Amino acid sequence: MFVDSHAHLEGKQFAHDREQVIARAREAGVTNILAIGNGDGPVNFDCAIQLAEKYDFMYATIGIHPHEARLADQAAFDRMEQLARHPKVIAWGEIGLDYFYDHSPRGTQQKVFAQQIALAATAKLPIVIHCRPSAGSEDAWEDCLHLIHQQWAPTGLGGILHCFTGNWAQAKRALDMGFMISFAGNVTFPKAEQIREAARQVPLHRMLIETDCPYLAPIPHRGQRNEPAFVVETAGKLGELRGLSREEVGLRTARNFYEFFKLAEMAENKVPPGRP
């Protein structure tokens, strides 16, 4: 049992074989997928909802990625308010800050991030965070965690630091604010010791796994298009770090996913009783 807690399946990378990709995920033991609803910005941020409506084992998010923050306008915010009421939408994201590419001005990113936080709070949805600092800096982490502390933590709704790339101190700050920490294929990369060190210390009951596909395929698939079936490799690496089998990591992180999103029926039906 594995849950891919972050997948971009709507993109052109999967246009020619999406059905087969999803079938391979199911064959690999992926029971549920959280489809991320950023698309190319406001023009199609309902893309994940369309997938979740087609596949009963998928859930969806909505949100404007920091790359497209410059495209946000009142019409986009109004549309997201409506989409947030969809029964398959369980989180708001991915949202946050990206100072590495700076596709949108940093001030605009911060403003749109804060606006979406307010909308997510009204909708009572947890948030999925993207945070990438500029090269050799911790700038985006400081700004992101500060904004979360000031404007989000008081809601008590928590969220997910997706595709975690920070250090243990940053993970600890997020954990203290009710966040889950999600690890992706980059935890398998040779130079990712900082991520592995955090993965050794994050409590197992606060950990999720993801692919962030089509990006960041784990070893032994590095350099290929990533897909949800490959989440088992991330589980395997985390198992190595924690002295567990990949199946046990899959089971525990699946339970974490169901419990965090209050999917009680899913947990009851899919997670064997009596497991830690």
Side-chain angles (χ1 to χ4, degrees), residues 244-264:
L244 300 169
S245 69
R246 69 173 58 187
E247 291 77 15
E248 187 69 16
V249 171
L251 182 65
R252 292 192 184 200
T253 53
R255 167 171 282 177
N256 295 344
F257 180 87
Y258 300 140
E259 291 182 349
F260 178 74
F261 286 111
K262 298 180 173 60
L263 302 171

Side-chain angles (χ1 to χ4, degrees), residues 186-199:
N186 52 355
V187 74
T188 70
F189 295 176
K191 295 182 179 180
E193 186 53 38
Q194 173 176 279
I195 303 173
R196 286 189 287 275
E197 180 56 31

Side-chain angles (χ1 to χ4, degrees), residues 71-229:
L71 303 177
D73 57 17
Q74 190 57 50
F77 295 130
D78 292 344
R79 177 66 173 145
M80 285 190 292
E81 270 192 297
Q82 295 174 353
L83 293 174
R85 303 187 185 104
H86 192 285
K88 277 299 197 75
V89 172
I90 62 173
W92 201 297
E94 61 189 276
I95 60 177
L97 303 175
D98 193 306
Y99 293 174
F100 187 83
Y101 288 108
D102 282 323
H103 288 329
S104 291
R106 295 181 184 184
T108 301
Q109 291 186 47
Q110 293 165 14
K111 179 180 178 182
V112 172
F113 185 20
Q115 287 173 295
Q116 291 187 91
I117 279 179
L119 291 171
T122 299
K124 293 183 167 44
L125 291 173
I127 55 177
V128 179
I129 296 297
H130 171 104
C131 183
R132 189 168 186 184
S134 56
S137 173
E138 301 296 330
D139 48 8
W141 278 112
E142 288 306 311
D143 288 351
C144 188
L145 291 171
H146 177 74
L147 196 153
I148 291 170
H149 176 73
Q150 292 293 321
Q151 299 189 35
W152 182 252
T155 70
L157 291 167
I160 300 171
L161 288 192
H162 113 85
C163 189
F164 185 71
T165 59
N167 57 41
W168 164 238
Q170 290 154 349
K172 179 66 166 58
R173 288 172 65 184
L175 289 167
D176 290 345
M177 293 187 286
F179 276 72
M180 306 292 284
I181 310 297
S182 184
F183 294 95
N186 52 355
V187 74
T188 70
F189 295 176
K191 295 182 179 180
E193 186 53 38
Q194 173 176 279
I195 303 173
R196 286 189 287 275
E197 180 56 31
R200 292 184 186 99
Q201 299 196 61
V202 170
L204 281 171
H205 70 284
R206 304 290 296 280
M207 184 181 291
L208 297 173
I209 55 175
E210 64 172 271
T211 56
D212 197 19
C213 66
Y215 317 107
L216 297 174
I219 292 172
H221 306 287
R222 191 174 184 183
Q224 303 175 30
R225 178 194 65 179
N226 202 1
E227 60 180 74

Side-chain angles (χ1 to χ4, degrees), residues 41-57:
V43 293
N44 66 335
F45 52 33
D46 62 343
C47 55
I49 293 176
Q50 295 177 31
L51 285 169
E53 288 178 336
K54 185 174 181 180
Y55 300 98
D56 61 0
F57 53 88

